[in-house]
Amino acid sequence: MRYWLMKSEPSEVSIDDLAAKPDQTVAWDGVRNYQARNFMRNQMQLGDQAFFYHSSCEQPGIVGITIVSKLAYPDATQFNPKSKYYDPKATPDNPRWFNVEVKLVRKTRLISLKELRSYPALANMRILQKGNRLSITPIDPAEWAFILGKI
DNA sequence: GCCAACGTTGGC
DNA sequence: GCCAACGTTGGC
């Protein structure tokens, strides 16, 4: 059982978009970074929990908690020429990109990036490091518990 | 809109 | 296999 942080641009999928879905579940597709892909494909297990983080927006920060509800499978968008995530080098026989599905556990108050930075206990979080761009990062159990305590 | 940081690409 | 050029991310 692991913990994660997964970034989403609210203009793409916001926490409210997720909450509004009938099954409150979303396919985490469109990831086109090998490290993030490997986390999903190789490490994520059913029941792993993740903070849902809004990025590239006015109020970046954690806004909810999700749970992995489906293990990684080939990302359908890579085969769709009309998708902005289309990858001409991927084939169904040899897919490059994978996605899990996550289900909303609950929305949380906004724990802003600024607030996260204010806690010395979280100083080593990947997302707080300079130049961090990875859209999916592991979270320490201790960090997870610490943040939960602040919600 | 800017720009630092980083990942990927492709020529050699 | 190196590495310069390029594209993207994401906070500000």
Side-chain angles (χ1 to χ4, degrees):
Chain A
M1 173 73 85
R2 292 173 184 262
Y3 298 106
W4 307 92
L5 183 144
M6 300 169 81
K7 295 182 193 172
S8 181
E9 299 186 17
S11 59
E12 299 287 323
V13 182
S14 72
I15 192 72
D16 287 327
D17 294 334
L18 176 58
K21 290 179 185 290
D23 49 4
Q24 299 195 324
T25 295
V26 67
W28 210 265
D29 58 19
V31 170
R32 294 294 180 269
N33 170 283
Y34 289 106
Q35 231 182 316
R37 177 205 69 182
N38 290 345
F39 283 143
M40 284 198 284
R41 190 187 60 183
N42 305 343
Q43 297 194 24
M44 281 194 188
Q45 297 297 318
L46 293 176
D48 280 8
Q49 288 187 273
F51 289 124
F52 190 109
Y53 179 96
H54 279 170
S55 69
S56 289
C57 59
E58 321 80 69
Q59 296 244 333
I62 292 168
V63 292
I65 297 171
T66 64
I67 189 166
V68 176
S69 58
K70 190 165 182 184
L71 291 175
Y73 57 90
D75 177 339
T77 64
Q78 69 192 307
F79 309 126
N80 178 2
K82 293 189 175 161
S83 169
K84 69 173 176 175
Y85 299 120
Y86 178 60
D87 183 344
K89 293 179 181 166
T91 64
D93 282 347
N94 193 16
R96 278 193 171 191
W97 307 110
F98 292 75
N99 64 272
V100 295
E101 291 182 8
V102 300
K103 181 178 174 68
L104 182 66
V105 173
R106 63 180 168 116
K107 291 173 62 173
T108 64
R109 72 176 178 90
L110 171 72
I111 303 162
S112 68
L113 179 59
K114 188 178 170 191
E115 179 178 348
L116 292 170
R117 287 193 195 286
S118 76
Y119 299 126
L122 303 179
N124 291 327
M125 272 179 72
R126 179 92 182 243
I127 192 150
L128 301 181
Q129 305 310 308
K130 184 170 185 175
N132 160 73
R133 294 188 346 188
L134 199 53
S135 65
I136 298 177
T137 51
I139 299 280
D140 257 29
E143 291 166 346
W144 179 271
F146 180 88
I147 294 168
L148 273 194
K150 298 292 179 187
I151 289 172

